[in-house]
Each structure stands twice: as C-alpha cells, then as structure tokens.
Amino acid sequence: MRSITAVPSVAAGRVKPTGPRATVDRLRTRDRIESIARLRAAVRALGDVDVSGWDDSTLTEHLDELSRALCGLDAELSRVAESVRARGFRIDEPLAA
C-alpha cells in the first residue's frame, strides 16, 4: 500500500490533472482551437468574395451594406490584432511560398 506522500514513479507517466480544474482547462483549450478555426474559416470565406465582376449599378445598390460589413470586419480584425500586440507579440505575415 502506498503512502499519501508517495511520489508517483516515472513508470506511472505524466500525472494528468483531474477534477473541475482539468475540465475548465480542456474547455479553454477547445475554445482556443475553435477560435483559430473560426478565424481560418473567415479567411476562406473572404477568399470567395469577388466584387470585381459586379457592375456599377449592383455595387451602388449594395454599397451601404458592403461598407458596413467591411468596416465591421476591419474593426474586429483590428481588435484581435491589438489584443495580440498589447501582450508584446508581433504579428508576422507568412512568407510567400
């Protein structure tokens, strides 16, 4: 029988946290992974947008809505980028392939 103060042996492997704290950590990790996935999905969705083929009347008709959407995107991207920069990190552009 092991004592309460016994240290787990190396053979036992890494001790994994259990209980409510471990659950919260897993939820946070999942939220972080999902956040990155949402950002990547937004990039892919924007890659599908092409207004260059719109004629002037269509562009004029949707200009207010398009402007609101673009300003909203700009504000959210700036918010995320500033949160990263405020922590002292740089945002580097990926190198061209």
Side-chain angles (χ1 to χ4, degrees), residues 12 17 21 27 33 42 45 51 56 59 72 78 94-95:
R21 173 79 177 153
L27 288 173
I33 291 168
V51 298
D56 287 353
L59 191 56
S78 294
L95 299 175

Side-chain angles (χ1 to χ4, degrees), residues 10-28:
V10 175
R14 193 178 87 174
V15 177
K16 295 182 182 179
T18 59
R21 173 79 177 153
T23 302
V24 169
D25 287 342
R26 280 193 302 274
L27 288 173
R28 287 183 184 151

Side-chain angles (χ1 to χ4, degrees), residues 2 9 17 40-41 46 48 50 55 60-61 65 73 76 86-87 92 94 96:
R2 291 185 356 188
S9 67
R40 288 181 177 153
L46 287 171
D48 293 339
D50 182 12
D55 60 37
T60 301
E61 182 181 331
E65 186 177 3
L73 285 168
E76 291 303 318
R87 304 268 312 269
D92 294 325

Side-chain angles (χ1 to χ4, degrees), residues 11-84:
R14 193 178 87 174
V15 177
K16 295 182 182 179
T18 59
R21 173 79 177 153
T23 302
V24 169
D25 287 342
R26 280 193 302 274
L27 288 173
R28 287 183 184 151
T29 298
R30 186 175 62 208
D31 287 345
R32 292 175 189 132
I33 291 168
E34 288 174 356
S35 294
I36 296 296
R38 286 193 300 272
L39 287 170
R40 288 181 177 153
V43 169
R44 283 192 307 275
L46 287 171
D48 293 339
V49 175
D50 182 12
V51 298
S52 64
W54 293 13
D55 60 37
D56 287 353
S57 63
T58 302
L59 191 56
T60 301
E61 182 181 331
H62 296 285
L63 191 56
D64 288 340
E65 186 177 3
L66 185 60
S67 294
R68 281 192 302 275
L70 291 172
C71 288
L73 285 168
D74 184 52
E76 291 303 318
L77 288 172
S78 294
R79 179 187 62 80
V80 172
E82 287 306 314
S83 294
V84 171

